[in-house]
Structure formats: structure tokens, C-alpha cells
Amino acid sequence: MMNKICVVTGATSGIGLETAKSLALKGAFVIVVGRNKKKCSATVKQIRQLTEASLVDYVCADLSDLKQVYHLAKILKEKYDRIDVLVNNAGAYFKSQRYESVDGYEMTFALNYLSPFLLTSLLIDLLKESDQGRIINVSSDAHYKGTIQLDDLQSKQEYNGFNAYAQSKLALVLFTYELARRLKGTNITVNALHPGLVATNFGKNNGWLRFYIRRLVMRNEINASEGSTTSIYLATSPDVANITGSYFKDEKEVKSSEDSYDQKLATQLWEVGEMLTNIPS
């Protein structure tokens, strides 16, 4: 990974932080993306202490705000001539209440799907400048329970936190496969993964519910370092250099949900993504 330029979103805690640290320790130049400037700065300081080198930088952006996603891409294009690895790790789960982003979109869908859809689309040209660009989308096995409600992607009719989360993660897998098809014949691979049930700050906004759920599943939880292994594997391993359009779990290629292979649905969802993010088709 020497001299590779890697962008990791949601990199100030949990899986994202462990992914960023590991990539830097392997010699990559890592760009940390987070929404809190103090946390970004602290993360950079922590990684520099570990690596004893200046192989890390940060850009602040609230990825639920599409204007900030555009601005993030603009900064990256101005500062770097290529990107070798993009890890779309940022995400959230809003269990008990429906929130809207500044753009007026349901927050789960905005952050977990529209944000990586837009950021990836804006950075494709930089990834093409790499000898072998890699896009890694951190999804979840929750996608197996997901259903794409094209007539109500914003969950306005009825909000259920888990359903919204599962839908967003299924959308991310559909995006992964559709992007892989569209990038066929290029030097870029794109894959999705399930990190495992990780004991991090993810979902801490859900208060008592998080505490209750964690008590139920504590025996199956893994730590953030363990949860980052598949992301790191997809970002670094020569074994997957030519694999694209796949879903991984525990560093192994596995079958995703039946709905995730629906190419018509993927195309429809792509068109919705372009419309909602104002990307020229």
C-alpha cells in the first residue's frame, strides 16, 4: 500500500478509525473524512503517532448534507491527482424517530445511500487515475431484510427505523452491483461487505434501545478492529484485485439477497439517485 491514496469516510471512530489506522500502518496515505473537526484532528494525531509519519490528512464534511458532499469532492480533486481506494464507511441507524436531512430527505436514506452514491460518482475520475482503483461500500446483513419502496423511499407513509436502515443497506448493495456493471472494462473494482455485529458507538443516538439490544447480542459482538478486517482485506489484498460486483463477509465472497441482483430495480434506483443528488445523467 506504499504511496496509495485512500479515502475513508466515517473515520473518526469505530470501524472507520480502525480501517484508517491499518491502511496508514501499511504505508498508505490516508484521508480521514468526518463531520467533527476536533475528532478529525484528534484522529490524524493518533494515526501519526502510530505510524511515526505524516501519512494522514483530513477533510471535514457532514455527509448527510449533499452540498458538503459536493464540497468534499471538490477539495479532494483540488488536492490530489488520484485516489486509489475509497471506503464508503459512514452510516447511521435512527430507530425511534424519523429525521430529515438539510436537503429534506429521510436521514437514513440520505446518509447511508445518497451520500456514498454521490461521493463515489463525483470521485470516479480520480479513481480512474489509479493503476487499480478500489471502491469498498460498507453495507450490512440487514440488507437481507430490506425492501426497496420506490414509491416511498423517504419513509413518509410509515417510519420504522430498522426497515429504513435495511432498505438503505440493500440500496447500497444494488448500487455496488450496478456501478460494477457500468465500470466494466475499467481499472476500478467495487465491492460491498458486512462488517459483523460490531461493538462501537454506532446507534448510540438510540439511547435505551441500544443498551437493550446490546445486552441481547453481546455474546456475538466483535470489536471495531475485528469489524474492520473485511474492509481492509478488500482495500489491500491482491487476491481481490480483479473481483468486482461482489458481497463479502469475513473476508469471503458470499451471496447477497435475491433482491440485490434485480438489475431493473438497480437501474431505477440509480435514476432516483441521480435525480435526488442533481447528478447529470
Side-chain angles (χ1 to χ4, degrees):
M1 296 300 292
M2 295 299 296
N3 301 317
K4 297 286 187 181
I5 300 174
C6 303
V7 177
V8 183
T9 68
T12 59
S13 65
I15 298 170
L17 173 59
E18 294 301 323
T19 301
K21 288 195 298 186
S22 181
L23 292 173
L25 285 167
K26 291 177 183 292
F29 182 88
V30 178
I31 303 159
V32 168
V33 178
R35 63 180 180 176
N36 184 293
K37 186 174 182 179
K38 288 184 178 180
K39 288 185 178 180
C40 284
S41 180
T43 298
V44 167
K45 182 178 180 180
Q46 180 182 353
I47 294 175
R48 283 178 176 166
Q49 289 174 340
L50 287 173
T51 60
E52 297 181 352
S54 300
L55 300 174
V56 60
D57 194 4
Y58 75 85
V59 181
C60 278
D62 181 347
L63 298 182
S64 69
D65 181 342
L66 297 183
K67 287 183 180 179
Q68 292 194 40
V69 177
Y70 273 104
H71 185 63
L72 167 62
K74 181 175 182 291
I75 291 174
L76 294 174
K77 289 176 181 179
E78 290 173 348
K79 294 184 71 173
Y80 305 100
D81 60 0
R82 76 176 192 282
I83 290 174
D84 298 292
V85 177
L86 170 62
V87 183
N88 288 310
N89 170 79
Y93 175 34
F94 304 92
K95 171 61 181 176
S96 57
Q97 184 176 344
R98 182 183 184 276
Y99 298 94
E100 287 192 353
S101 69
V102 295
D103 302 293
Y105 302 139
E106 190 277 313
M107 187 66 83
T108 316
F109 190 72
L111 185 57
N112 294 1
Y113 175 67
L114 290 179
S115 167
F117 174 85
L118 176 59
L119 182 61
T120 303
S121 299
L122 294 173
L123 296 180
I124 285 295
D125 287 344
L126 284 183
L127 284 153
K128 286 181 178 178
E129 293 300 318
S130 171
D131 291 337
Q132 204 268 302
R134 300 190 188 195
I135 301 166
I136 295 105
N137 294 325
V138 180
S139 182
S140 165
D141 274 0
H143 90 272
Y144 288 104
K145 300 291 185 180
T147 302
I148 302 296
Q149 303 289 345
L150 285 173
D151 59 344
D152 189 29
L153 288 170
Q154 308 302 326
S155 305
K156 289 184 177 180
Q157 296 176 14
E158 180 181 357
Y159 184 77
N160 176 285
F162 178 79
N163 290 345
Y165 179 74
Q167 175 183 244
S168 71
K169 291 303 185 179
L170 172 57
L172 193 57
V173 179
L174 281 159
F175 167 61
T176 299
Y177 295 168
E178 179 64 16
L179 182 59
R181 287 188 286 268
R182 294 182 183 224
L183 291 175
K184 186 177 181 180
T186 73
N187 59 324
I188 302 173
T189 62
V190 51
N191 293 291
L193 68 101
H194 170 64
L197 187 59
V198 183
T200 68
N201 288 328
F202 181 80
K204 68 178 181 180
N205 52 294
N206 296 307
W208 68 268
L209 178 72
R210 172 170 169 75
F211 175 76
Y212 177 69
I213 291 175
R214 286 196 60 181
R215 288 193 65 183
L216 290 177
V217 300
M218 193 176 297
R219 292 181 180 178
N220 297 316
E221 280 190 342
I222 58 178
N223 61 41
S225 179
E226 293 169 320
S228 68
T229 57
T230 303
S231 293
I232 296 162
Y233 173 74
L234 290 174
T236 64
S237 176
D239 295 340
V240 293
N242 298 312
I243 296 177
T244 189
S246 293
Y247 185 73
F248 284 79
K249 182 177 179 179
D250 297 327
E251 301 183 24
K252 296 178 182 178
E253 191 175 354
V254 298
K255 184 178 170 68
S256 54
S257 73
E258 290 296 332
D259 285 354
S260 69
Y261 298 104
D262 186 333
Q263 293 189 28
K264 180 180 179 180
L265 179 59
T267 300
Q268 291 174 314
L269 190 62
W270 185 287
E271 292 171 351
V272 170
E274 287 183 329
M275 179 184 67
L276 295 180
T277 58
N278 296 312
I279 298 177
S281 58

